[in-house]
Amino acid sequence: MKNRLEVIRKQRGIKQEELAEALEVSRQTICSLEKGRYNPSIILAFKLAKYFKISIEEIFVYEEDGEGEKSR
């Protein structure tokens, strides 16, 4: 799953440490999320969306087979 977390965080001038503290996770968790090495729990995804006051879909992009959503 791809995400725009790093872009959103940097646009708002927030450090990884600040975000981690606000969400009660480690800085390493934020780093792993940004690098795409870790998919968040649904709870963490909701916390991120609430923190930034945007939808989950504005942060995370689900892609099937690496090709994005396919039309039906």
Side-chain angles (χ1 to χ4, degrees):
M1 180 180 328
K2 292 187 177 184
N3 70 71
R4 299 182 56 245
L5 181 57
E6 184 174 12
V7 171
I8 294 165
R9 178 182 60 75
K10 286 182 175 181
Q11 284 175 340
R12 298 181 187 211
I14 299 165
K15 295 180 180 179
Q16 284 183 339
E17 294 84 0
E18 294 174 62
L19 182 57
E21 186 175 316
L23 299 177
E24 299 178 329
V25 297
S26 70
R27 187 197 59 76
Q28 288 82 1
T29 296
I30 301 301
C31 183
S32 292
L33 281 168
E34 290 181 352
K35 300 294 182 203
R37 293 187 300 234
Y38 172 71
N39 288 327
S41 67
I42 192 69
I43 293 170
L44 182 53
F46 272 105
K47 284 182 176 183
L48 282 161
K50 184 176 179 181
Y51 179 86
F52 288 114
K53 297 182 173 85
I54 58 177
S55 70
I56 290 174
E57 293 83 2
E58 290 177 85
I59 303 170
F60 298 97
V61 179
Y62 173 71
E63 294 185 340
E64 285 186 29
D65 300 326
E67 297 178 20
E69 287 189 44
K70 298 178 182 177
S71 42
R72 296 178 187 201

